Each structure stands twice: as C-alpha cells, then as structure tokens.
Amino acid sequence: MAGTSRGNTRSRASKSSTENPQIRNPNQILRKDKTRNNSLIHIFSVNLKFLIGFGIIAFTIALFFIYTFINPMEKPQKPRVITPLPAPKLMDLPMFQGEHRESLYWGTYRPQVYFGVRARTPQSLVAGLMWLGVKNERYFMRHVCQDSDELKQYGWTSHNGRDYGHQVLSEQTMTLTTSFLKSKDHGSGYGGDWAVRFGVQSDESVPDEEMLKTAHLFFYVADEGGKSLTLGSRVLDIHGDSILASGSRSDIGDWQLHLFSEDVSGVHYSGFKTPHIHNLSDLVQANLAVQARQFGHLQLSDSSDDSPNILVFQISARIPFKADIVFLSGTSTRDSRVEERASRLTGTSLTNLFFEKQKEFDNKFKKSFILSDELGLEPVTVGKAALGNMLGGIGYFFGQSKISLPSTSTPNAGDNSVLYWPAELYTAVPSRPFFPRGFLWDEGFHQLLIWRWDVYISLDIIGHWLDLMNIDGWIPRELILGAEALSKVPEEFVLQHPTNGNPPTLFLALRDLISKLKKEKFAATEARDISVFLDRAFVRLEAWFKWFNTTQAGKEMGSYYWHGRDTATTRELNPKTLSSGLDDYPRASHPSEDERHVDLRCWMHLAADSMHSIAELLKMDKDIKMEYSSTAKLLSDFELLNKMHLDTANGAYCDYGNHTEKVQLTWKIVETGSNYPRREFVREVLEKPVLQLVPHLGYVSLFPFILRLIPPDSQILESQLDLISNKSILWSDFGLRSLSKTSSMYMKRNTEHDAPYWRGPIWIPLNYLIVSSLHHYSQEPGPYRERAKTVYNELRSNLIRNIVGNYKRTGYLWEQYDQKKGKGKGARLFTGWTATVLLIMAEAYHEV
C-alpha cells in the first residue's frame, strides 16, 4: 500500500505539469526565486543536522573498529568442564618419546576382541581374528569377547606387555592358540614388524563329524582412516609364503601382510569399504550367508568393494593345522630385506623366537613375584595367567567422552551434554568381555601389579590418565572412547558427570613408587625417570587433590562425602553411591549434605600424605610440604576420626547421615497419567530418618584399618580384628564378605532389577587391601601383633585356595566370589583387580 501511495503522488505531479503548459507570469517566477533564496538558511540548517548525525554515526563506527582491532571479538568460551588443565602433558616427557614410544607402538591393544592388533595412534591400521565355532550342529561367529559365546576357557597364559604373548581359546569342539611377537629388525619401518601364529587342535572327545574336522579362521586388516588397501595378486593360489595385502601409511611407510602355512591349501577373501569397523563381523556373516544360499559354499565371495579399507581373508583347513601371519613395515626402502625379515618371522625361526620369549617371561615372573614353594604349581599357573591377562588386556583408545552439563550452562534447550576434547587413553581394562575400557578407580589396583613388572608401562598408563584432567582438576571416572568401546556400553551409562569423583587409587601405586625410591630399590635410570615423572605430574596431582578437597568436602572440618547420590529416587532401596566405586553398598537412607563418608575421608588422607611425600622427595618449598603435612595430620587425627565415625559399641567405623533402617521395597499401583495404572516395585519409608551413624558393617567399616590410621596399641585395633574374624559378620572360608550378615541390607536387592552387588559377595581388591594391612599390623610391635598374624595367615590361605580352585574348575578369574560356597560369580575373565591375588600369593603389599 505504501508503494501505491508513492506511485499515485508521482502520477499526480506528472499530470499537473502536463495540463498547464502556459508560460507563468514574471511575478510568479520572482516569488519562486525569492522562495528559493529565503530557504537557503533552512536547507543549511537541515544539512548541519544531517552532518552532525552522520558524524556521530561515523565516530561510533570508527570506535567500534578501533576497539575490535585492539580487542578482537572473543569467541563464546567453551564450558570449563571440557577445558584441559593448562599444564605440560606427561606424555610429552622425553621418557615417553623416541625408543619407548616406538617399542610400544604396535600391540594387542584391542582387548574387546579375542585377538586384535593395532598401533598407538588415532585412525590406526588394525588387524584381528574371527572364526566359526560349532555348537549343536550350527556355526557361530566368534570375534568380540562375549560371555554368550560360552567358550570353555580363554585368555593370555603369558604376556609381557611389550612384544610377546600366548593365548589359549578353548571352544566346545576345538582349542585355538594365538601367539604374538614383535620384531624391530634392520630395514623395518616405524614400530617394527609383528607376527602371529594360529594353531588349531581338536578336542579328543569330539565326535567324528565332517563339520568338526575343518576349521574356518577369518583374519582381517583394516584402515580406520578409510585409506584403501591393495589385495595380493596370488591370494587365491597360496603356496608357502604369499602376500595377502599391502598398503602405505604416513606413520610406517609401505607395508605388506604375508601368510605362511604348509597346512592351508587355499584362501578366500572379501573387501569392504566402510567406516564402521566395530560391526565387521556382521558384514562377514552377511557375505557368508549370501554365498551359502546361492552356491551352497561356506566361503567368502572372493570379491571386493571399490577401494576397500577392510580386507578379510578366510583360512580354512583340516584340523590340526597352524598358520603364520606376518606384518612387515617399511617395505619400500632400498634396504628393506623383505624376504629375510619374513623368513625370520615364520616357520622354525618363529618357533625358536617364541621359545626364547616364553623363557624370558618365566624368568622375569619368578624374579618379579617371589612365590613360596609351599604354594605348589597351580598357584604359579594362576599367577601367570593373572599377570598375562592384565598385560594382554591393556588397550589403546581414542575419542571423546560425553560429559553432562549443569542445567544453568546448557547451551541449547534439551541438550544437557557436551563432548570432552579428543583424547587418547592407554590403559589396562577390568574385563575384556564386560568392561573393555578404562575405569579410573580400577586402574590404581591394576598399577599395583603392573609397576612391579614394568615401571615404564605403569608410568605411561598413569600419565595418560592424568593428562585427561580438566581445568578444575576433574578426571572422568569411566572412559568410553571410540566406536568399538561405545558399542559395548548402553547409552544411559555413557554420560559422565563432572560433579562426581572416584576413589583416587592411583595414589596407591604412586605411594609404592615413592617408598621404593626412598629405599633405593630402582636402578639409577629408573629412579631418575620416576622422579622426573613425579615432578611433571605434581601440578596435576595437586589439581586433582584440590578438586576432591573442595567439591567433595562435608559440612565439618575433615569430613567428606561422595556426591552424585539420587535424592529423589523412589525405586532404590538405598540410593547407590556409584562415585565411591562400591555402588550399592548401603549408606544413609536419605542422601543429604550432612553425610560423612568414612572411606572417602581415608582416601583423602592417603592422597594428602602421598602429596607430602612427593613434595619432600622433590625438595619442594616448605609451604607446599607444610600444606599437605597439615592436611594429612588433620585426617590422621585419631580422636577426631573416632568422634566423627566410630561406633563405640562394636568398635566399627561408620558413615554418618540422615538415616532410618525402616525402609522396604513393595509392590504398588502407580498412576501414570494414562488410562492404565502400572504396578511398580517402589521404596516405602516407614519411619522418619534422623542424623546418626549408619549401622551397616562391611568393607567401609574397615577403611581406617585398611589405611593404617589405627595405632597398633589401640584397643580399637582389637575390635577391628574381631569384626574381620567373626563368622557371623564378615568372615567366610573363602574371603571377607563385603557386607555383614547382620546388616538389614545383607543380600537385599536394591531395585526390582538390581541384584545385590556389594552387599555380601567377596571382592578381591578390598580383600587385598585388608590382607595387606593385616600383614602390616602383624609386623608392628604391640599387644595385637600375634592376633593379626594369625588372622592374616588364615585369610590369605582362604583367598588363594578359593581363587585357584575356581580357576582350576572353570578356567577363569571372576569379578566376585560367593560368600556361602566360594563359587565365582559376576563377570568372568575379570583379570583386572582380581589379578591382585598374585600380590597376595607373593606377599607383595602396598605401602602406606
């Protein structure tokens, strides 16, 4: 409409001048001229206002550009939680570069699969094994470690963490062995070469059926970065040594993959172009299914996508047979000596190398872990498997963790998460089939074992964890990095919460290292490197300590409580304390800021005392040493500890909080807002909670004993020994229960679907800590020395006998053990902290 009005005005003006063509009289012209002259002042006035306005605008724009030039526009700051700590990285230390880094470049760093190799770099070249198992006259693909495969036994019987490992995988009808070896030879590329030998044997009891006489292995190589691989020219006509595949990478140069076998007469293959390596077994099964339907053959299609980044080779042969796979790097150099290097890593030469490496492993094991002859041979076998699986389970991961954000800092409505910075993690894992990823509080126990075997691998792992610290001093408690790791975790457990901690168990291993340094137990080079590591790590350890000391502090001086408990839940009998690592161990029935958790208080004493020891070792400023010394002194104040946590009636230490014993889970009809009410298992509180000591006796009750805060002449020590040895409370013939039989929560479900976890079953890491402290008090002068020695010997004997017996019967170390019959339960092949049984066998205990 405005446009039309302006048009009409223009039309009228035009029309008026056309309709009056006559010459105007002079007076009119004169008046017009006068009018023009009289208006000059007015026009000047208007122009002046315009100029002033224009000048102001121009001046403002100029100021804006000057300000922008001097102070460039700041980008919106990313949340603090995903801002790295501004400190030099431990992984940048010279000790982790050069020869060390290259020697650990390749490894069996894919613990989530039965056998896998990768390099310690993002977008690595990876390799692995699949095979067809037979059960009930049907084939099943084996690739990713999973309990549902029902293997009779599997795991590394030996592994040195660097360049050698031997694994046994017992199927229902056959036994498969994988032996891995690395070699750095003249002419090889960065990281050197590696070889793996697969051996297949039939079980003696296998029926004489055709499908059980042939084994089908599938070895693959894949480029995570999507780079294309080249198929060998004679793959379908294998004779002796043949090239399966080749390619080129910036890190290792040109490479070749060779197969050598006198038992294999033919190979089939398939090539895939896909970024999703974690579901490779699905692609292989689909390919086999198509071939079986169309042609009736159980073999790959001998075809490939264009520019494949994955090549899979089917190696089928009559049982028994063996095959050697050799990977050679740097094959394009003038002096690469490809044939000579390949020959050295196959056949009889490889057999001799395996023999030498196994002998080295056995000798080093005997030297590192001195086992009494009284134990016999079976504990030695179990000890080697515990160590081998711990080292063979070390993995390398790269990716970004998913972190929750406080509601006030959420950038987009409905989005309560943000990604951590891209990071790498080199770590041991608790369990290959169930938990093939990094867990912070497990790692401290892992390192108690690993540093005694190879201190540089241990420092490397600890350094990776500390480098994950953010600007606030927080470290995610669970690291799920990369597609393969994510594929094993339900979505609801992926998110990490920056308000929640995890026990700082890395200080257990660091404290050991400090103690051995002071006692001059390391070689000169090792001692120097450990000191350099601690010096670089101090700023990160200090930030970590201060994060705990501020975010997890309680209302009273010297009190702490684990954050993250659900204050609003109606479905949990006792709200879990996942951040403590003890999950469903019962705490105060009603979470609040009034809580005091005795275990966290003791962890904080360990951390403060360790920081003081590091500061003394490094001869730091007096003020720094005094700060940590004062904190450690406060937290070791025996009177204050007893005032806050001691139940004088039974000599046990307890949490404090808003608590009632009268809670239960009951079935109720719950209105859902729809036409159909739902029956739910919900919590019912029958009594108002009050602030009090929480009367549940178990592992938490022993933490002051575990961390040796009780004087050896205190009568409370006698009470603690009574708790430990009382069969009606914690003692069993197989180890100490996690929760007393007298507790109202003993073996109670926490929800409809959550079976008791830390409410009775025997856990080895806490038993290790208790055994360690029993050993300590058995050496200390005092009235309870002999009693401690007696309890120590009995508990140590019970633990070793039960774990070794279970291994003999089942072939596995377990996540936990039943407190009634001693049977292994929970996750099997749990060779994370359960492997501390080796330290119990060797009587190698942590220093405090």
Side-chain angles (χ1 to χ4, degrees):
M1 296 297 291
T4 304
S5 299
R6 285 196 298 270
N8 291 342
T9 302
R10 284 196 297 270
S11 298
R12 285 196 299 271
S14 215
K15 185 176 180 181
S16 175
S17 59
T18 305
E19 290 175 350
N20 298 285
Q22 69 271 24
I23 298 175
R24 298 170 186 172
N25 62 50
N27 289 337
Q28 285 179 317
I29 297 173
L30 178 61
R31 281 197 300 272
K32 195 171 184 180
D33 290 341
K34 284 181 179 177
T35 303
R36 186 183 295 128
N37 291 336
N38 291 338
S39 68
L40 285 176
I41 295 174
H42 176 72
I43 292 172
F44 177 74
S45 175
V46 172
N47 287 343
L48 181 62
K49 291 179 181 178
F50 172 78
L51 288 172
I52 292 171
F54 179 78
I56 292 171
I57 293 171
F59 181 70
T60 303
I61 293 172
L63 281 179
F64 173 77
F65 278 110
I66 292 170
Y67 179 80
T68 303
F69 179 75
I70 296 173
N71 299 297
M73 287 184 67
E74 294 184 5
K75 295 180 180 178
Q77 288 192 347
K78 58 184 176 182
R80 286 181 63 86
V81 70
I82 59 169
T83 302
L85 184 76
K89 284 194 168 187
L90 287 155
M91 287 302 98
D92 292 337
L93 283 170
M95 74 177 76
F96 298 128
Q97 305 301 314
E99 185 178 344
H100 171 87
R101 182 171 180 80
E102 185 175 4
S103 68
L104 291 174
Y105 194 63
W106 290 106
T108 53
Y109 301 140
R110 300 178 64 211
Q112 65 273 26
V113 297
Y114 288 114
F115 178 82
V117 180
R118 68 164 297 133
R120 278 177 50 172
T121 185
Q123 305 298 302
S124 170
L125 193 69
V126 302
L129 173 71
M130 292 181 255
W131 75 91
L132 290 178
V134 180
K135 183 180 178 182
N136 298 329
E137 299 184 349
R138 293 181 60 191
Y139 287 111
F140 294 88
M141 182 65 77
R142 315 297 198 202
H143 180 211
V144 177
C145 299
Q146 50 191 12
D147 216 31
S148 59
D149 287 344
E150 298 182 347
L151 268 66
K152 290 190 290 186
Q153 180 182 9
Y154 68 96
W156 298 97
T157 58
S158 53
H159 201 299
N160 66 11
R162 287 186 175 268
D163 58 12
Y164 168 71
H166 179 75
Q167 183 178 212
V168 177
L169 306 108
S170 296
E171 268 281 7
Q172 300 298 322
T173 59
M174 68 180 185
T175 297
L176 176 66
T177 58
T178 66
S179 300
F180 175 76
L181 184 135
K182 280 163 49 179
S183 171
K184 179 62 177 175
D185 209 346
H186 179 67
S188 60
Y190 186 81
D193 309 325
W194 52 263
V196 57
R197 171 171 289 172
F198 301 118
V200 185
Q201 294 282 341
S202 285
D203 288 355
E204 294 180 0
S205 59
V206 171
D208 188 20
E209 297 177 12
E210 187 60 32
M211 72 182 303
L212 302 178
K213 294 180 179 179
T214 301
H216 303 278
L217 309 185
F218 301 84
F219 189 83
Y220 62 87
V221 60
D223 192 299
E224 289 182 319
K227 201 165 186 178
S228 63
L229 311 179
T230 302
L231 187 70
S233 59
R234 297 177 57 192
V235 169
L236 299 179
D237 185 24
I238 295 294
H239 293 288
D241 177 13
S242 298
I243 297 177
L244 295 177
S246 60
S248 181
R249 288 177 57 89
S250 59
D251 53 348
I252 58 173
D254 290 355
W255 58 268
Q256 294 177 357
L257 189 71
H258 293 243
L259 167 66
F260 178 86
S261 178
E262 296 178 350
D263 303 321
V264 176
S265 58
V267 170
H268 296 280
Y269 73 91
S270 187
F272 305 96
K273 178 69 174 177
T274 174
H276 305 299
I277 295 175
H278 65 276
N279 63 353
L280 178 57
S281 52
D282 294 336
L283 298 176
V284 173
Q285 289 183 88
N287 188 287
L288 288 172
V290 170
Q291 291 295 108
R293 283 196 302 268
Q294 293 184 356
F295 306 107
H297 299 307
L298 188 64
Q299 63 186 46
L300 292 176
S301 60
D302 294 329
S303 63
S304 174
D305 297 340
D306 292 337
S307 302
N309 66 312
I310 303 175
L311 290 173
V312 184
F313 303 96
Q314 179 178 354
I315 305 168
S316 300
R318 304 285 284 185
I319 302 173
F321 77 88
K322 65 180 180 181
D324 297 338
I325 301 283
V326 182
F327 177 86
L328 303 176
S329 61
T331 55
S332 65
T333 59
R334 182 178 300 176
D335 194 21
S336 60
R337 301 164 52 250
V338 170
E339 290 185 8
E340 184 180 340
R341 285 158 53 199
S343 175
R344 184 173 181 269
L345 293 176
T346 56
T348 304
S349 176
L350 181 61
T351 301
N352 293 336
L353 290 173
F354 283 143
F355 179 80
E356 291 172 11
K357 286 295 180 181
Q358 183 62 49
K359 187 176 180 181
E360 287 177 11
F361 175 84
D362 292 338
N363 290 337
K364 186 174 181 179
F365 179 88
K366 189 179 295 185
K367 182 179 178 181
S368 301
F369 304 98
I370 301 172
L371 305 187
S372 168
D373 291 338
E374 296 176 0
L375 290 174
L377 295 177
E378 286 182 354
V380 175
T381 300
V382 174
K384 288 181 179 179
L387 176 67
N389 278 296
M390 173 76 77
L391 296 169
I394 291 175
Y396 173 89
F397 308 92
F398 183 85
Q400 292 178 269
S401 291
K402 193 176 183 181
I403 311 298
S404 70
L405 284 172
S407 57
T408 54
S409 63
T410 302
N412 300 311
D415 182 10
N416 69 333
S417 67
V418 67
L419 292 178
Y420 224 45
W421 63 87
E424 60 180 356
L425 180 64
Y426 173 63
T427 184
V429 303
S431 171
R432 288 170 63 191
F434 284 92
F435 307 108
R437 53 191 179 277
F439 284 79
L440 181 55
W441 101 286
D442 295 59
E443 201 56 47
F445 290 99
H446 299 165
Q447 295 316 308
L448 289 172
L449 201 69
I450 293 175
W451 81 256
R452 288 175 165 85
W453 176 261
D454 190 319
V455 72
Y456 287 102
I457 289 179
S458 183
L459 293 177
D460 201 339
I461 290 173
I462 295 172
H464 270 87
W465 276 100
L466 294 178
D467 278 350
L468 287 165
M469 187 176 293
N470 75 4
I471 195 171
D472 294 321
W474 175 75
I475 305 173
R477 74 182 188 92
E478 184 176 348
L479 269 295
I480 309 162
L481 305 177
E484 279 195 305
L486 280 167
S487 67
K488 298 282 286 184
V489 185
E491 177 63 28
E492 62 267 27
F493 297 114
V494 171
L495 198 64
Q496 300 296 298
H497 301 276
T499 55
N500 302 349
N502 224 199
T505 54
L506 293 180
F507 280 111
L508 290 173
L510 292 173
R511 187 58 186 258
D512 272 5
L513 295 177
I514 296 162
S515 176
K516 299 303 180 187
L517 274 177
K518 290 179 177 178
K519 295 176 182 178
E520 299 182 347
K521 297 293 185 180
F522 290 107
T525 302
E526 289 177 336
R528 182 198 66 213
D529 287 342
I530 294 168
S531 296
V532 169
F533 178 90
L534 292 172
D535 187 49
R536 173 70 67 90
F538 192 85
V539 65
R540 293 181 177 273
L541 294 172
E542 185 169 48
W544 198 26
F545 177 87
K546 289 182 176 178
W547 181 87
F548 273 103
N549 207 34
T550 53
T551 67
Q552 310 295 295
K555 284 186 173 181
E556 294 190 32
M557 177 72 73
S559 70
Y560 300 87
Y561 71 100
W562 296 108
H563 286 225
R565 299 187 71 202
D566 190 344
T567 60
T569 181
T570 60
R571 289 179 172 82
E572 292 183 81
L573 181 62
N574 188 276
K576 290 190 292 293
T577 314
L578 294 174
S579 53
S580 73
L582 304 179
D583 296 13
D584 68 343
Y585 186 97
R587 309 281 181 161
S589 61
H590 291 67
S592 70
E593 294 182 356
D594 293 304
E595 284 189 270
R596 302 196 294 258
H597 292 147
V598 65
D599 54 332
L600 180 51
R601 188 184 196 277
C602 294
W603 286 124
M604 290 305 296
H605 173 266
L606 171 69
D609 201 44
S610 298
M611 292 298 290
H612 176 250
S613 296
I614 296 171
E616 277 196 324
L617 181 74
L618 300 177
K619 297 181 171 56
M620 290 185 163
D621 291 343
K622 183 179 180 181
D623 291 345
I624 296 175
K625 289 186 282 188
M626 182 62 68
E627 177 184 355
Y628 290 107
S629 175
S630 299
T631 304
K633 186 176 181 180
L634 171 69
L635 296 177
S636 63
D637 186 315
F638 195 50
E639 287 188 16
L640 182 60
L641 170 67
N642 293 341
K643 180 181 178 182
M644 285 187 172
H645 292 287
L646 181 66
D647 181 352
T648 55
N650 53 30
Y653 289 94
C654 302
D655 290 337
Y656 177 87
N658 205 25
H659 182 74
T660 175
E661 283 286 278
K662 294 188 177 181
V663 292
Q664 63 185 23
L665 290 175
T666 58
W667 288 103
K668 287 190 175 182
I669 302 299
V670 178
E671 297 294 333
T672 61
S674 65
N675 295 328
Y676 303 98
R678 187 169 61 238
R679 188 168 177 261
E680 291 185 356
F681 207 40
V682 297
R683 182 167 91 151
E684 185 177 16
V685 180
L686 304 175
E687 177 185 74
K688 183 179 179 180
V690 295
L691 290 172
Q692 60 175 303
L693 290 174
V694 181
H696 296 295
L697 306 184
Y699 289 159
V700 165
S701 310
L702 301 176
F703 259 81
F705 172 84
I706 287 170
L707 292 175
R708 304 168 196 177
L709 297 175
I710 303 173
D713 59 352
S714 171
Q715 192 171 352
I716 295 172
L717 178 58
E718 182 182 30
S719 299
Q720 293 276 292
L721 293 172
D722 288 341
L723 287 174
I724 291 170
S725 57
N726 191 327
K727 292 184 178 181
S728 297
I729 300 177
L730 299 180
W731 187 271
S732 83
D733 292 337
F734 315 106
L736 295 186
R737 301 179 183 92
S738 47
L739 188 64
S740 169
K741 289 172 67 176
T742 62
S743 170
S744 61
M745 296 285 176
Y746 178 70
M747 294 306 291
K748 291 282 185 68
R749 301 184 73 86
N750 201 47
T751 70
E752 178 187 355
H753 304 290
D754 291 345
Y757 201 46
W758 290 83
R759 296 185 178 179
I762 297 162
W763 291 80
I764 303 309
L766 270 296
N767 272 268
Y768 164 76
L769 294 179
I770 293 164
V771 166
S772 180
S773 289
L774 284 167
H775 183 266
H776 165 78
Y777 283 112
S778 74
Q779 308 294 312
E780 290 287 303
Y784 311 110
R785 180 176 180 173
E786 290 304 315
R787 174 86 186 283
K789 185 175 182 179
T790 299
V791 177
Y792 164 75
N793 286 330
E794 288 185 26
L795 180 56
R796 175 175 176 266
S797 177
N798 286 348
L799 288 164
I800 294 172
R801 184 182 65 254
N802 188 57
I803 294 170
V804 171
N806 268 275
Y807 186 87
K808 184 179 179 180
R809 288 190 299 273
T810 68
Y812 294 100
L813 295 180
W814 293 80
E815 182 181 16
Q816 52 183 220
Y817 293 86
D818 181 74
Q819 70 277 17
K820 294 181 179 179
K821 297 183 179 180
K823 184 179 179 181
K825 58 192 294 188
R828 61 179 186 171
L829 195 67
F830 201 94
T831 42
W833 58 25
T834 299
T836 53
V837 65
L838 173 56
L839 300 179
I840 296 174
M841 292 175 183
E843 298 187 278
Y845 301 118
H846 71 283
E847 302 281 347
V848 173

